[in-house]
Amino acid sequence: MTTRTPNLHAELERIARGLSRDLRGVKPGAAVACTYDPLDYGWKAHAAYLALARARPRALLLGMNPGPFGMVQTGVPFGEVEAARTFLGISGGVRAPHVQHPKRPVLGFACARSEVSGRRFWGLMQQEFGTAARFFRAGFVWNWCPLAFMSVSGANVTPDKLGASARAAIERACDHALAQVVVALEPGMRSEEHTSELQSPCNLVCRLLLE
């Protein structure tokens, strides 16, 4: 018999804050000119997203890390601005981070650029479920790594392109947080394109690498 988390939203907030804290010391290396943590400067928006979660969804879906015009701007996984505003009902709560790349400013919900993966993902969920409430009864999306890394040119650097020591530190923190999310949510289905063994009571979790 499983033990259900008495307050799911508070537990997800605790996990997210802990992950953000654990990743602060990561040194991504010379290839990265700027690191964004939307769990920090976009916390209010992210907390509003976590509040949509429901216990025991059928599926737990995962992105790799934030896109520059998605979660970097809105604090929401696959958070294309219009989708976050109209489908998820989240429209604020993002402040400018202290350090920004000049080619990748954080404009929050005023950002006019569209994140293609987010538009496709949430567009499909709206098509299939109709409302956010119906989607969250069936599924939940968690970004495995909440950090976005930008090169000198402003290009997005995914975690797999970082040095070995940075990758190892990120994997430890992000896998630990993901294991806690699985325990908190108790999803019914945990298999997708890429499967990773985790040290958790739930054996298999898969990563949907769309972002």
Side-chain angles (χ1 to χ4, degrees), residues 143-157:
N143 251 7
W144 176 73
C145 176
L147 302 183
F149 306 99
M150 304 297 166
S151 69
V152 173
S153 68
N156 188 32
V157 181

Side-chain angles (χ1 to χ4, degrees), residues 19-182:
L19 177 56
S20 175
R21 183 177 59 250
D22 290 345
L23 291 172
R24 283 176 195 163
V26 171
K27 296 179 172 55
V32 174
C34 189
T35 301
Y36 290 81
D37 180 4
L39 299 190
D40 176 27
Y41 62 82
W43 176 252
K44 288 185 178 180
H46 189 71
Y49 170 76
L50 296 178
L52 297 172
R54 295 295 177 266
R56 294 180 177 172
R58 292 200 306 272
L60 173 60
L61 308 175
L62 295 120
M64 174 58 78
N65 75 309
F69 307 112
M71 189 173 177
V72 166
Q73 301 294 332
T74 65
V76 174
F78 296 100
E80 194 258 352
V81 171
E82 190 61 21
R85 181 186 291 119
T86 60
F87 183 59
L88 300 178
I90 301 171
S91 59
V94 179
R95 57 180 173 78
H98 297 302
V99 178
Q100 301 186 60
H101 194 292
K103 293 184 179 180
R104 292 290 181 263
V106 173
L107 304 175
F109 287 84
C111 179
R113 295 283 296 271
S114 176
E115 184 82 14
V116 175
S117 61
R119 185 174 71 246
R120 289 175 176 170
F121 178 81
W122 289 116
L124 177 61
M125 296 305 104
Q126 185 169 18
Q127 178 182 318
E128 292 295 317
F129 293 96
T131 67
R134 287 186 63 194
F135 166 75
F136 283 101
R137 285 196 291 270
F140 185 74
V141 185
W142 177 265
N143 251 7
W144 176 73
C145 176
L147 302 183
F149 306 99
M150 304 297 166
S151 69
V152 173
S153 68
N156 188 32
V157 181
T158 55
D160 59 300
K161 301 297 191 297
L162 302 177
S165 62
R167 287 201 313 272
I170 289 170
E171 287 171 4
R172 281 194 301 273
C174 295
D175 281 355
H176 177 65
L178 179 55
Q180 293 179 83
V181 169
V182 171

